[in-house]
Amino acid sequence: MFQRKIIEQSAFDVLELARHKAEQHFNTYITPEHVLFQIEASGHLSGVLYDNHMSPSYFRDRLNLFLNSLKSTEFTVDNPIQVADNLRFAIDSAFDYADLQGDKVITVPHLL
């Protein structure tokens, strides 16, 4: 039976900002790295980085270097930005994880 899930506003905002970042850099696809970059930029990842003795600025810089290396293209109606298959898988996994936890709302930690 299909259960309806709601994406929390902060998780939706992260996904929307990831799309915007991909468009800004003329990337062909929105990737999990775009989402991870926005999660880190929103401060949701700082505790995890701190606990693992990782510098947020180093992490952000390395991730930004990766994003800047992605293929770029001009977008048109015939050539819109696409969601990468691995991002679709990550979002599906977030929904599955929420189901396992008994959560009806998808949050940023589910996306992680």
Side-chain angles (χ1 to χ4, degrees):
M1 182 168 118
F2 176 74
Q3 275 191 324
R4 187 169 187 200
K5 294 286 183 203
I6 298 169
I7 297 178
E8 181 184 62
Q9 186 64 47
S10 61
F12 181 82
D13 291 345
V14 162
L15 293 171
E16 184 61 22
L17 288 168
R19 182 191 62 76
H20 182 68
K21 176 116 177 121
E23 285 179 348
Q24 224 175 8
H25 290 276
F26 300 104
N27 298 139
T28 308
Y29 291 94
I30 307 165
T31 66
E33 292 82 6
H34 288 101
V35 175
L36 187 56
F37 184 88
Q38 294 306 325
I39 290 172
E40 192 283 324
S42 69
H44 290 285
L45 197 55
S46 60
V48 174
L49 293 173
Y50 178 78
D51 291 345
N52 289 287
H53 310 290
M54 296 176 70
S55 162
S57 61
Y58 176 79
F59 180 83
R60 185 181 315 115
D61 291 345
R62 300 300 296 170
L63 191 53
N64 205 28
L65 280 173
F66 173 80
L67 292 174
N68 286 330
S69 73
L70 295 176
K71 181 179 175 187
S72 298
T73 188
E74 290 289 330
F75 301 110
T76 64
V77 173
D78 296 329
N79 188 30
I81 192 168
Q82 300 176 45
V83 175
D85 288 340
N86 53 358
L87 179 56
R88 288 181 199 282
F89 177 76
I91 293 171
D92 285 343
S93 295
F95 278 78
D96 291 343
Y97 182 68
D99 281 340
L100 286 173
Q101 299 297 312
D103 298 332
K104 294 186 185 210
V105 178
I106 305 302
T107 63
V108 171
H110 291 114
L111 294 174
L112 280 171

